[in-house]
Amino acid sequence: MKKEIRVRYAPSPTGFLHIGNARTALFNYLFARSQGGTFVIRIEDTDQKRNIEGGEESQLKYLKWLGMDWDESIDCGGEYGPYRQSERLEIYKKYYEDLLERGLAYKCYCTEEELEAEREAQVARGEMPHYSGKCRHLTKEDQQRLEQEGRKPSIRFRVPEGKVYTFNDIVKGEVSFESDGISDFVIVKKDGVPTYNFAVAVDDYLMEMSHVLRGDDHISNTPKQLMIYEAFGWEPPIFGHMTLIVNESRKKLSKRDGSIIQFIEQYEELGYLPEAIFNFIALLGWSPKGEEEIFSREEFIEIFDAERLSKSPALFDRQKLAWMNNQYMKKLDLDKVVELSLPHLVKAGLVPENRSAEENEWVRKLIALYQEQMSYGAEIVELSELFFKDDITYDEEAKTILGEEQVPEVLSALVNELNQLEVFEADEVKQAIKRVQKATGHKGKKLFMPIRIAVSGVSHGPELPSVIELLGKEKVIQRIQKLIG
């Protein structure tokens, strides 16, 4: 009988939702949904010192923002709860006490200082730092004596000697680890709280996880978890370790890498679209058949196949992200584009917070002007800066064009035409430019280039008549007259 597909995303609330973790969640979500399985979110919060306030809420909020839903978690319950590790301590206790009883784990009384001194001595001898097994064979009397000294024990798992642990990874194929390269590891800290590798193995078994899909950085944890499974006679899940995400220099994506926006919260703040971010992340280390790159969430669920997870590092391509978000922006309803962009104009002090109906209409037209080229909401501030400047600084290229002999005639004729306009709108401005062409005989670049540069300071941009309308009659004429004297 085919085992029911059950997968999990298990974040620690030690920070906000990172792009790498979002990808792990997304691949688990797509795998579950594509297979008619169950997607579980479990909170691994046993490292209380590193947990941050709001970390848990942020994780769930931004998974929802990206468009994911789940079947079991802290917010919706389920048959396998509790879904917070800190609420499962009694469950773990039963299992580690069983290991102690059977001699598969033992109490270790070494202090941090002693362990550090041991590591330093090993490094000095050119050895790989490892736990020596100093407390492996303590007698009951030894343990009592150490406890009378006030020492609190941690609990270590007794790693079997001379064994090879092999598993078939969905992404990497067959992977093997020799147990002799792994020293006895701590499964319960001195404060009685289980460590990651123990708690996660117990949870994955009790919650009946069929598959564990996670990042490449977890692969060295897998043999330790397989040892726990073996100790209890449990069948392990199927593992899949996704390759690293790398930056454009092909280096592992680091949270200190300032060139890449790395937290999902920041994408929302900058006015990116969740559908576009979902699409982009889904292609970070997974590829569909064919050349198409734009898919809806439903289409991804339809086509997702874990066998197509990449074996090569996933390149975080910022240009591709900008292109992809732009594809979504172009198709978006203008009201939504305004909603994404307007707060950034207000924040930059370019547009008042409380606006008249006339000001709202102007802003709406301004944003509409740049919708085709905008990659994200906050970009409107940079794109539209020419509308908020009092003075223009012309670069050398602009000065060269403005120095052409026909320019004074073209600009003078334009001022004359614009002055006569009673309705200052794009269509009327367009007709005025046509009349300038007829009156001066200049057309094409000789006509449009100097006008565009004179009024905006740049040689390319959106529709010229619309730019002139939004700049306003007074500002346009003022800029031109300043040039022609």
Side-chain angles (χ1 to χ4, degrees):
M1 195 176 89
K2 191 182 174 189
K3 198 174 179 184
E4 184 204 343
I5 300 293
R6 286 180 58 82
V7 293
R8 48 70 168 181
Y9 166 59
S12 299
T14 54
F16 302 115
L17 184 59
H18 184 262
I19 201 113
N21 293 337
R23 182 186 69 160
T24 298
L26 184 53
F27 286 161
N28 277 283
Y29 167 79
L30 290 174
F31 183 61
R33 294 289 174 260
S34 68
Q35 299 289 318
T38 301
F39 178 44
V40 178
I41 293 183
R42 184 175 72 221
I43 303 296
E44 299 189 343
D45 62 343
T46 53
D47 194 346
Q48 295 291 332
K49 288 177 191 163
R50 290 182 61 228
N51 293 345
I52 64 162
E53 195 178 338
E56 203 175 270
E57 293 79 2
S58 171
Q59 291 279 336
L60 299 184
K61 176 183 174 181
Y62 286 100
L63 290 174
K64 282 177 187 167
W65 181 79
L66 282 168
M68 284 178 251
D69 61 327
W70 42 90
D71 305 297
E72 300 171 25
S73 189
I74 56 170
D75 60 341
C76 57
E79 292 176 36
Y80 297 83
Y83 293 92
R84 259 187 212 95
Q85 283 189 335
S86 59
E87 294 169 10
R88 297 174 64 82
L89 299 182
E90 281 304 309
I91 296 171
Y92 305 132
K93 189 177 180 186
K94 170 186 157 186
Y95 288 98
Y96 65 70
E97 284 183 345
D98 176 53
L99 291 179
L100 281 171
E101 240 173 78
R102 293 191 285 135
L104 298 177
Y106 61 89
K107 292 179 179 179
C108 170
Y109 294 86
C110 297
T111 65
E112 275 306 314
E113 293 74 24
E114 286 168 343
L115 291 171
E116 184 56 38
E118 183 175 88
R119 283 192 289 267
E120 283 174 6
Q122 287 164 347
V123 170
R125 293 194 299 269
E127 298 171 15
M128 278 286 288
H130 62 280
Y131 177 62
S132 63
K134 189 176 169 183
C135 295
R136 219 172 197 247
H137 305 291
L138 292 178
T139 62
K140 288 277 183 203
E141 292 73 25
D142 293 332
Q143 290 181 348
Q144 282 172 354
R145 177 177 49 77
L146 289 163
E147 282 179 22
Q148 280 165 2
E149 287 176 20
R151 293 196 185 211
K152 281 192 171 179
S154 58
I155 299 172
R156 287 184 183 271
F157 185 80
R158 198 183 294 274
V159 173
E161 292 173 19
K163 285 197 76 166
V164 175
Y165 287 85
T166 301
F167 61 97
N168 198 14
D169 191 280
I170 292 173
V171 181
K172 297 177 177 299
E174 193 173 280
V175 181
S176 294
F177 287 89
E178 292 183 4
S179 66
D180 292 348
I182 301 168
S183 52
D184 295 349
F185 55 95
V186 174
I187 58 170
V188 182
K189 293 177 279 190
K190 292 180 190 296
D191 60 5
V193 176
T195 59
Y196 170 78
N197 279 310
F198 181 70
V200 82
V202 172
D203 287 344
D204 285 343
Y205 172 73
L206 294 179
M207 293 184 180
E208 296 185 15
M209 293 302 147
S210 64
H211 295 71
V212 170
L213 303 180
R214 56 191 179 189
D216 197 52
D217 50 338
H218 280 289
I219 199 153
S220 60
N221 289 320
T222 310
K224 294 177 182 177
Q225 290 163 24
L226 288 173
M227 289 175 197
I228 303 293
Y229 271 82
E230 182 184 62
F232 291 113
W234 297 338
E235 184 190 339
I238 295 165
F239 292 97
H241 290 89
M242 295 165 281
T243 55
L244 298 171
I245 301 174
V246 294
N247 63 19
E248 283 149 4
S249 304
R250 306 278 165 180
K251 289 182 180 168
K252 181 186 171 184
L253 198 61
S254 155
K255 288 178 184 174
R256 292 185 294 278
D257 186 347
S259 67
I260 290 174
I261 300 160
Q262 300 203 27
F263 293 96
I264 302 302
E265 184 175 5
Q266 293 171 289
Y267 286 101
E268 185 198 33
E269 286 168 0
L270 287 166
Y272 280 82
L273 290 163
E275 301 87 349
I277 301 296
F278 185 107
N279 194 152
F280 178 75
I281 293 173
L283 298 177
L284 276 177
W286 180 84
S287 59
K289 291 174 182 172
E291 300 298 313
E292 184 58 50
E293 292 193 296
I294 304 290
F295 297 97
S296 67
R297 180 181 57 171
E298 292 70 28
E299 286 168 333
F300 271 117
I301 290 169
E302 185 72 27
I303 63 175
F304 187 79
D305 177 1
E307 298 294 325
R308 295 188 65 83
L309 285 165
S310 173
K311 291 173 171 46
S312 308
L315 175 67
F316 192 105
D317 184 337
R318 289 177 297 166
Q319 286 182 314
K320 183 174 175 179
L321 174 59
W323 169 81
M324 191 169 279
N325 209 74
N326 174 250
Q327 299 304 301
Y328 282 84
M329 287 289 263
K330 286 195 281 199
K331 292 176 185 170
L332 206 59
D333 180 77
L334 180 59
D335 286 342
K336 182 66 181 168
V337 182
V338 171
E339 193 185 309
L340 288 168
S341 310
L342 181 54
H344 299 284
L345 290 169
V346 172
K347 189 180 174 184
L350 301 174
V351 168
E353 199 158 342
N354 300 308
R355 297 169 301 281
S356 64
E358 192 181 338
E359 285 171 324
N360 270 331
E361 185 55 29
W362 183 86
V363 170
R364 188 178 169 81
K365 283 182 177 178
L366 176 74
I367 292 167
L369 200 59
Y370 288 101
Q371 180 173 354
E372 280 291 306
Q373 67 186 101
M374 214 188 303
S375 289
Y376 56 95
E379 201 176 18
I380 190 65
V381 173
E382 186 186 336
L383 289 172
S384 65
E385 64 179 346
L386 71 94
F387 289 92
F388 302 100
K389 285 179 175 176
D390 290 327
D391 296 306
I392 296 175
T393 305
Y394 299 101
D395 62 20
E396 288 308 311
E397 186 191 352
K399 285 176 184 174
T400 302
I401 291 166
L402 292 173
E404 292 172 1
E405 60 179 347
Q406 85 286 6
V407 171
E409 182 188 4
V410 166
L411 295 181
S412 296
L414 181 64
V415 168
N416 187 43
E417 288 292 340
L418 295 180
N419 267 322
Q420 293 177 53
L421 290 183
E422 288 182 21
V423 178
F424 203 78
E425 289 178 354
D427 287 344
E428 299 297 323
V429 170
K430 193 174 184 179
Q431 294 308 314
I433 294 173
K434 279 185 179 176
R435 291 193 291 274
V436 170
Q437 178 182 329
K438 197 172 178 183
T440 64
H442 299 297
K443 58 186 180 180
K445 280 190 173 181
K446 294 283 182 186
L447 174 71
F448 292 104
M449 230 13 162
I451 293 175
R452 184 180 286 281
I453 288 172
V455 301
S456 70
V458 292
S459 57
H460 53 84
E463 283 284 319
L464 182 56
S466 298
V467 170
I468 290 173
E469 177 197 332
L470 288 173
L471 279 167
K473 191 172 186 176
E474 189 183 330
K475 188 175 271 191
V476 168
I477 291 171
Q478 188 183 27
R479 285 181 177 181
I480 295 172
Q481 284 181 332
K482 198 170 181 182
L483 273 173
I484 58 178

